[in-house]
Amino acid sequence: MSAQPHRLPSGGRIDRDTVLRLTVDGQELTGHPGDTVASAMLAAGRLDVAPSIYRGRPRGIVAAGVEEPNALLEVLGRCSESMLPATTVSLVDGLAVRTLSGLGRLDPTGDEAVYDKKFAHTDVLVVGAGPAGLAAAWAAARSGARVILLDEQSEPGGSLLSCREETVNGSPALDWVREVVAELESAPEATVLSRTTAFGSYDDNYVVAVQHRTDHLGHPAPEGMSRRRVWHIRAARVVIATGAHERPLVFAGNDRPGVLLASAVRGYLNRYAVAPCSRAVVSTTNDSAYDTVTDLVAAGVEVAAVIDARPTLSPRAAEVAGTGVRVVPGSAVVETTGASRVDGVLVGALDEDGLLGGDVEADVETIACDLLAVSGGWSPVVHLHSQRQGRLRWDEVLAAFVPEGTVRGQRVAGSARGTFDLGGCLEEGTEAGVAAAVAAGFPIEAEAPVGRAATGEYGPVRQLWLVPGRRGEPADWHEHFVDLQRDQTVADVWRATGAGLRGIEHVKRHTSIGTAHDQGRTSAVNAIGVLAAALGGTPGEIGTTSYRAPYTPVSFAALAGRERGDLFDPERTTPIHPWHVAHGARFEIVGQWLRPRYFPRDGEDIDAAVARESRAARRGVAMMDASTLGKIEVCGADAGEFLDRVYTNAHRRLPVGSARYGVMCKPDGMILDDGVNLRLDENRFLLTTTTGGAAGVLDWLEEWLQTEWPELDVYCTSVTEQWTTIAVVGPKSRQVVARVAPDLDVSAEAFPFMTFRETTLASGVPARICRISFSGELAYEINVSGWYGLAVWEQLYAAGADLDITPYGTETMHVLRAEKGYPIVGQDTDGTVTPQDAGMDWVVSKRKDFIGNRSYTRADTARADRRHLIGLLPVDRVTRLPEGTQIIAPDTPVTPERGPVPMLGHVTSSYHSEALGRPFALALVAGGRDRIGETLIAQVGDSPVEVLVAGPVLYDPEGNRRDG
Amino acid sequence: MLLLDCPWCGPRDETEYHYGGQAHVRYPQVPADLTDQEWAEYLFFRDNPEGPFAERWVHSTGCRRWFNVMRDTTSYRVLAVYRPTDPRPEGSR
């Protein structure tokens, strides 16, 4: 026996000269280029796939395209990929796959393939390269407009790839396809992308598509070529020509392997030259299946009978019946038989209401067959139209939801619009292409190609949503499958309606119909029909569920593109960064900046390192890279006035050469940011912001200047990266600064706190040195041009070597500032904290107005029980409270029985203090300043920890250490 | 993704912009003169119409300038784009 017993001797779009090897569930098969895994399986006579997900029922291949509900694969390899329909995976030599029971597994192996994205602008985007889409792209491209044509299949042609006798302009249809594609490919402004699925349609004609670029090439793919590419396309006009999907029929045992969509059978016969059976029965509600019938006959397959639900023969049905095929009108397949595959069908007559009349047992005829081809009508693929809130209308004649009206800048053409005949698709496509080109500014006229098919007009359709079972009631019909992937049946729909559910959205969620990998491509409209049958009424009255992107699954790797690993997020480093790396710093990410968190010496953990760094800062001298602080120069005649309006405290009369701590608030009075500001000269200030807040503060300042106070003469410039800032901290910092800046009088008298001086360092580097402290110790901040940042850092490190100058990171900085009760905006505040709440009433001017001032007389901000920032000291002197720990009153029950626990506040910062010799925390606690001295409970997991409420300044509250 | 027409730079993707909420809500000249009710309305209350809506946008990754857009909140259609100093077009709220 040949390895491909079901391969027809001729025909098909396959390369018979090349044999490819394939392994399915360990079984070795062969196929040819042009095959999918599904067509190769069928050629080998293999129909079955893994059993169904919940009920473990045998399942087989049903479809030939993306609508396949059963045949899901895991493609094995170094990094396997799951949940790929076998009907869409192109065969390559050596492919190994495993069929899945509707559930895949993400391979934890790192995927080393390259993924990328591309942005494109076009005049006309056409989605779908079937007859309508090809005609549209062809017409539009003739105008000279930029045209992009996308198609999900391995080659253009759409439904024509599966045709046999259809012609266009008198020639075989595929000749026309070849000509049109050649014309498009030679047009300078046209792009044709196969294996590219438009999966999302967004506002203003922004369409996102994924292109599969290498999997079909075989292994290995070309070096450096991306495996998949996500296209972001902005189009002036969009033509949606996405075709239609055939619906199966709902009857007992409709999930048995061997029940295939009639159009899929046609595709296997003509496109892949595979006859998946030797004796077929066809069950239909419409004319389209008759093309399958004639093609089966032409391929030498016996057609035992055509079971047509319509009571009288349509012209097309009569024509086929006239060739000698047995057509049984007014009937339906009511059951299938067979163990692991269909070996026969039971046919019963339907009355006007779609019920089985007469004596069911006596009137049922059994017909032997090894395949049942079904057609329950067609559902236009309206996803892209509907994703844009395009409306749908139920067409009672076509038995389909079709687009109603158009989305602005878009057209729907061909069977996606419910035009199911070839001639109509070509005409509509041409018209849509012309209209799109004209609307995009490229006037053109075009004569539509003339299409001919055996089925001319699409004849009447009988709506047959539910073929009755021979026994019992719908609630018992557990083998009438509506959704094969979810194993959901008519009985499940009845259970949902029995529970009182009426809307399709609710029934969908109750039953899970339409929620699987295939997103209801074959099941959604049938579910609506079954629901209509359950409730009475028409599918139009039930309506559809919402359509959301993506149309087909898209791998996260493709969406991520190159933005993974090191390229996931921009990484900002200071000029001193190489030194930090060389000295073993451990880093943390702060608003995209990589900041040293601590500098461990041999064998130190973070606690030991921080304790050592803290001791150096409090007793000797330490240094920190503070370059990441946001810096904004504010210039102009009105700079002072502007800052007075923006900051809670006054800046206008700040002397040149002085610095001032400022807090800015939103109009609601809540803290937005803080920092120390310098007055460089009369019309020039330098603001500093928090590291993470720099961009937002600049935006904030510009917003007020542009939208509220354009009359002010003020300009803001970000200078964060122009300056390197080095904090030199500790009682011995004066000595170190004096050594590197010999021209500067560093005495406390000549250079007082909150002033700055311009000087030139011994190395010749110009520097601006500030006396600012974020630790309470004597401290300097040395600002130099970023170009000299690393050099000056090294000069300071060398100058302090004999004093054991100690580099420290953000962790020690946090401990030092928290010991002094200095809040970190965004850590100790959260957008609900006023300066007064944070214990900084002193920074709020009573003499001028500013943004937020009015809010401090609102009833809410005047409440006495607002949460105040205070210090907490765990009574056991051991427990370091996790940040976020909830604070409650003593004796508050924490049990499920007593219900919600009243919270007084939460821990915002928590550290071990080397200076205090104990752990401590900052917390926001209701009425906290009135509770100083009280003991509260910090609930750490199941353990209540007693904490003493203290003022926020726990170290050197008198400020004696500031001047050294 | 919206395509917004910056008055200074031309049409750009929505991701280049930041949204600034309802337009034509001026910061009160003298906030102290407002009652608590009036101040609360300035702080917390904004229109949420179905249909044309005048709103602020800033071209954050472009010219960094603010402008106003009249947009239909149902269809997301941009009905007008105008500079902050321009008057509100007819028909918007």
Side-chain angles (χ1 to χ4, degrees):
Chain A
M1 196 169 86
S2 110
Q4 300 178 25
H6 288 264
R7 187 76 72 182
L8 294 169
S10 64
R13 303 185 65 73
I14 50 168
D15 170 13
R16 290 170 192 266
D17 296 335
T18 306
V19 176
L20 304 176
R21 292 161 301 132
L22 163 73
T23 308
V24 180
D25 296 328
Q27 180 187 3
E28 290 184 5
L29 309 176
T30 61
H32 301 295
D35 266 324
T36 62
V37 169
S39 68
M41 287 171 67
L42 291 173
R46 177 167 174 179
L47 183 66
D48 60 297
V49 296
S52 71
I53 182 167
Y54 300 122
R55 294 174 59 183
R57 292 173 65 93
R59 288 288 163 82
I61 295 165
V62 166
V66 293
E67 69 273 35
E68 172 59 44
N70 284 341
L72 294 171
L73 302 179
E74 178 178 2
V75 174
L76 305 170
R78 199 165 53 182
C79 180
S80 74
E81 184 170 15
S82 286
M83 300 300 279
L84 301 174
T87 49
T88 65
V89 176
S90 292
L91 196 58
V92 293
D93 195 41
L95 190 67
V97 301
R98 187 167 75 85
T99 62
L100 300 171
S101 291
L103 194 62
R105 189 183 64 100
L106 186 65
D107 190 336
T109 310
D111 183 352
E112 288 169 12
V114 175
Y115 299 84
D116 65 6
K117 67 174 81 165
K118 187 158 177 166
F119 294 83
H121 294 260
T122 187
D123 298 307
V124 179
L125 170 68
V126 180
V127 183
L134 281 168
W138 165 80
R142 294 200 145 191
S143 72
R146 288 174 299 175
V147 175
I148 296 178
L149 172 62
L150 308 180
D151 189 85
E152 66 181 9
Q153 303 257 0
S154 56
E155 57 178 326
S159 60
L160 298 176
L161 295 168
S162 300
C163 78
R164 186 168 59 90
E165 291 185 306
E166 283 84 340
T167 64
V168 179
N169 293 338
S171 302
L174 287 170
D175 290 353
W176 174 76
V177 170
R178 194 162 49 241
E179 286 162 22
V180 167
V181 171
E183 188 171 327
L184 287 171
E185 283 176 344
S186 65
E189 296 287 0
T191 305
V192 180
L193 299 173
S194 285
R195 303 180 191 276
T196 305
T197 305
F199 63 81
S201 183
Y202 303 91
D203 292 302
D204 291 321
N205 286 351
Y206 194 84
V207 175
V208 184
V210 63
Q211 179 185 20
H212 290 239
R213 306 179 74 213
T214 62
D215 290 348
H216 63 285
L217 299 174
H219 305 286
E223 182 78 19
M225 183 172 181
S226 62
R227 182 182 185 209
R228 287 179 198 152
R229 171 173 287 168
V230 174
W231 287 74
H232 297 249
I233 303 168
R234 179 77 77 176
R237 288 293 182 278
V238 173
V239 178
I240 296 171
T242 43
H245 287 147
E246 196 170 33
R247 294 190 296 263
L249 287 164
V250 178
F251 56 93
N254 61 340
D255 67 329
R256 188 162 271 122
V259 179
L260 274 77
L261 293 171
S263 59
V265 172
R266 195 170 190 230
Y268 288 120
L269 287 170
N270 298 330
R271 182 173 178 183
Y272 301 107
V274 172
C277 58
S278 54
R279 182 179 157 94
V281 169
V282 178
S283 185
T284 185
T285 62
N286 63 87
D287 276 349
S288 67
Y290 285 91
D291 293 338
T292 305
V293 174
T294 56
D295 291 350
L296 281 166
V297 171
V301 175
E302 182 186 354
V303 177
V306 181
I307 316 302
D308 194 325
R310 296 172 296 183
T312 53
L313 297 187
S314 70
R316 173 64 171 157
E319 180 192 341
V320 173
T323 65
V325 174
R326 181 187 173 207
V327 179
V328 184
S331 297
V333 169
V334 297
E335 250 177 70
T336 57
T337 59
S340 61
R341 174 172 181 155
V342 169
D343 64 11
V345 297
L346 276 56
V347 177
L350 301 169
D351 66 15
E352 272 177 28
D353 300 322
L355 301 174
L356 301 175
D359 179 349
V360 172
E361 293 305 319
D363 292 346
V364 166
E365 177 190 355
T366 302
I367 303 175
C369 64
D370 61 354
L371 183 139
L372 173 64
V374 293
S375 179
W378 291 81
S379 295
V381 177
V382 295
H383 298 63
L384 296 180
H385 169 79
S386 295
Q387 284 177 19
R388 286 286 310 279
Q389 319 302 320
R391 289 164 180 255
L392 298 177
R393 167 180 65 82
W394 173 251
D395 188 309
E396 192 68 17
V397 176
L398 295 173
F401 286 100
V402 297
E404 167 85 337
T406 55
V407 172
R408 189 162 46 97
Q410 302 198 345
R411 279 194 173 223
V412 185
S415 49
R417 190 163 166 262
T419 301
F420 295 135
D421 66 293
L422 176 58
C425 285
L426 293 169
E427 281 168 25
E428 267 185 29
T430 307
E431 195 184 317
V434 167
V438 170
F442 295 83
I444 182 79
E445 290 177 6
E447 190 83 13
V450 178
R452 296 248 186 279
T455 303
E457 294 264 311
Y458 183 68
V461 183
R462 177 166 187 178
Q463 292 186 39
L464 181 63
W465 301 114
L466 178 52
V467 178
R470 291 197 294 149
R471 284 171 289 277
E473 297 297 320
D476 307 319
W477 296 344
H478 292 284
E479 298 188 358
H480 282 60
F481 283 85
V482 177
D483 187 327
L484 293 169
Q485 255 188 39
R486 287 290 192 218
D487 262 351
Q488 294 293 300
T489 64
V490 168
D492 295 309
V493 174
W494 248 258
R495 185 165 43 83
T497 58
L501 303 178
R502 295 292 179 269
I504 186 65
E505 296 279 13
H506 289 148
V507 171
K508 171 181 177 173
R509 283 154 183 81
H510 191 270
T511 61
S512 78
I513 289 173
T515 62
H517 177 275
D518 67 350
Q519 288 286 291
R521 249 177 281 288
T522 53
S523 63
V525 175
N526 278 349
I528 294 163
V530 170
L531 186 59
L535 300 176
T538 69
E541 288 159 357
I542 302 287
T544 68
T545 55
S546 296
Y547 291 84
R548 297 187 181 88
Y551 166 65
T552 50
V554 182
S555 68
F556 281 110
L559 292 174
R562 306 218 176 206
E563 292 155 28
R564 45 197 278 194
D566 288 346
L567 299 180
F568 176 66
D569 200 33
E571 197 171 83
R572 304 175 76 183
T573 56
T574 74
I576 309 170
H577 185 75
W579 192 96
H580 300 324
V581 173
H583 288 75
R586 300 285 190 275
F587 292 91
E588 70 169 336
I589 294 170
V590 184
Q592 296 181 336
W593 286 100
L594 271 185
R595 299 196 70 179
R597 190 171 179 210
Y598 58 102
F599 291 85
R601 287 186 184 164
D602 291 341
E604 278 183 339
D605 63 7
I606 181 171
D607 289 345
V610 169
R612 174 180 50 73
E613 292 171 10
S614 299
R615 281 194 303 273
R618 293 261 183 245
R619 298 180 197 164
V621 59
M623 62 194 290
M624 187 186 72
D625 181 358
S627 306
T628 64
L629 283 180
K631 303 172 207 68
I632 301 169
E633 272 205 16
V634 177
C635 310
D638 296 317
E641 166 66 22
F642 176 57
L643 297 186
D644 266 10
R645 297 185 192 184
V646 168
Y647 283 96
T648 60
N649 53 347
H651 282 69
R652 199 167 31 161
R653 280 190 264 281
L654 181 69
V656 172
S658 285
R660 180 160 293 169
Y661 173 73
V663 171
M664 60 174 71
C665 295
K666 293 233 165 175
D668 63 6
M670 304 304 158
I671 294 174
L672 171 65
D673 204 80
D674 70 346
V676 172
N677 306 324
L678 314 181
R679 185 161 212 162
L680 302 178
D681 65 37
E682 187 57 31
N683 294 338
R684 200 152 68 103
F685 290 81
L686 181 84
L687 315 187
T688 63
T689 74
T690 55
T691 294
V697 169
L698 182 63
D699 288 348
W700 180 246
L701 300 178
E702 289 184 344
E703 178 180 345
W704 285 89
L705 286 170
Q706 287 183 39
T707 66
E708 295 293 347
W709 304 318
E711 72 280 4
L712 293 184
D713 175 24
V714 178
Y715 303 90
C716 301
T717 308
S718 168
V719 294
T720 301
E721 300 192 345
Q722 278 65 30
W723 292 96
T724 289
T725 303
I726 303 166
V728 183
V729 177
K732 297 176 183 167
S733 59
R734 183 173 281 132
Q735 283 171 259
V736 176
V737 172
R739 291 172 186 173
V740 296
D743 294 348
L744 191 63
D745 182 348
V746 294
S747 67
E749 300 71 34
F751 189 2
F753 187 59
M754 293 306 267
T755 62
F756 67 91
R757 299 288 181 260
E758 309 275 356
T759 187
T760 300
L761 304 181
S763 56
V765 175
R768 179 186 295 143
I769 302 181
C770 312
R771 268 208 57 204
I772 299 168
S773 179
F774 197 41
S775 58
E777 299 298 327
L778 173 68
Y780 299 83
E781 282 187 9
I782 298 165
N783 296 275
V784 298
S785 162
W787 297 111
Y788 304 120
L790 178 56
V792 171
W793 173 274
E794 286 172 337
Q795 289 158 22
L796 284 160
Y797 189 64
D802 60 323
L803 303 171
D804 194 20
I805 190 166
T806 302
Y808 68 97
T810 52
E811 195 64 23
T812 295
M813 174 191 81
H814 277 288
V815 175
L816 299 176
R817 65 89 198 172
E819 288 168 344
K820 290 291 292 180
Y822 299 146
I824 297 264
V825 173
Q827 171 159 341
D828 302 296
T829 73
D830 59 6
T832 68
V833 178
T834 64
Q836 298 87 338
D837 295 341
M840 297 194 289
D841 192 41
W842 55 268
V843 85
V844 179
S845 169
K846 309 295 183 286
R847 290 197 295 275
K848 68 169 184 88
D849 198 19
F850 54 87
I851 297 169
N853 191 31
R854 172 65 183 80
S855 288
Y856 301 133
T857 53
R858 292 182 62 239
D860 184 59
T861 45
R863 279 188 295 116
D865 64 345
R866 287 187 65 81
R867 290 185 172 187
H868 301 151
L869 187 69
I870 44 84
L872 291 181
L873 295 168
V875 172
D876 64 7
R877 300 184 71 95
V878 175
T879 305
R880 204 184 303 181
L881 304 172
E883 289 171 359
T885 297
Q886 295 288 336
I887 306 300
I888 58 179
D891 304 321
T892 305
V894 185
T895 63
E897 294 73 30
R898 295 293 296 270
V901 180
M903 305 294 180
L904 295 178
H906 64 275
V907 172
T908 58
S909 297
S910 177
Y911 313 97
H912 176 82
S913 168
E914 180 69 7
L916 303 173
R918 63 186 298 172
F920 72 108
L922 297 178
L924 287 166
V925 172
R929 282 193 292 277
D930 303 321
R931 296 180 188 269
I932 289 172
E934 288 182 23
T935 300
L936 298 175
I937 301 299
Q939 187 69 24
V940 180
D942 291 333
S943 313
V945 176
E946 284 190 322
V947 290
L948 183 66
V949 180
V953 186
L954 296 169
Y955 181 74
D956 183 31
E958 305 80 16
N960 292 332
R961 309 186 58 80
R962 190 187 76 188
D963 291 327
Chain B
M1 185 186 326
L2 294 176
L3 185 68
L4 291 174
D5 206 357
C6 171
W8 291 279
C9 306
R12 296 288 191 277
D13 283 348
E14 182 183 344
T15 47
E16 293 194 13
Y17 300 91
H18 277 129
Y19 186 64
Q22 183 176 354
H24 308 295
V25 181
R26 288 304 305 268
Y27 183 65
Q29 282 282 325
V30 185
D33 290 350
L34 269 54
T35 64
D36 277 5
Q37 172 80 26
E38 290 165 337
W39 180 246
E41 281 178 9
Y42 166 74
L43 287 180
F44 303 124
F45 288 73
R46 293 295 182 270
D47 295 337
N48 183 24
E50 184 179 337
F53 184 50
E55 59 195 16
R56 305 186 314 153
W57 290 81
V58 59
H59 194 186
S60 306
T61 63
C63 62
R64 298 186 60 78
R65 293 169 87 172
W66 284 86
F67 60 99
N68 293 334
V69 172
M70 186 139 65
R71 185 177 60 98
D72 188 309
T73 58
T74 306
S75 67
Y76 284 18
R77 184 168 191 166
V78 173
L79 307 171
V81 173
Y82 56 103
R83 298 182 180 200
T85 47
D86 294 340
R88 172 206 305 251
E90 293 297 314
S92 67
R93 276 202 278 169

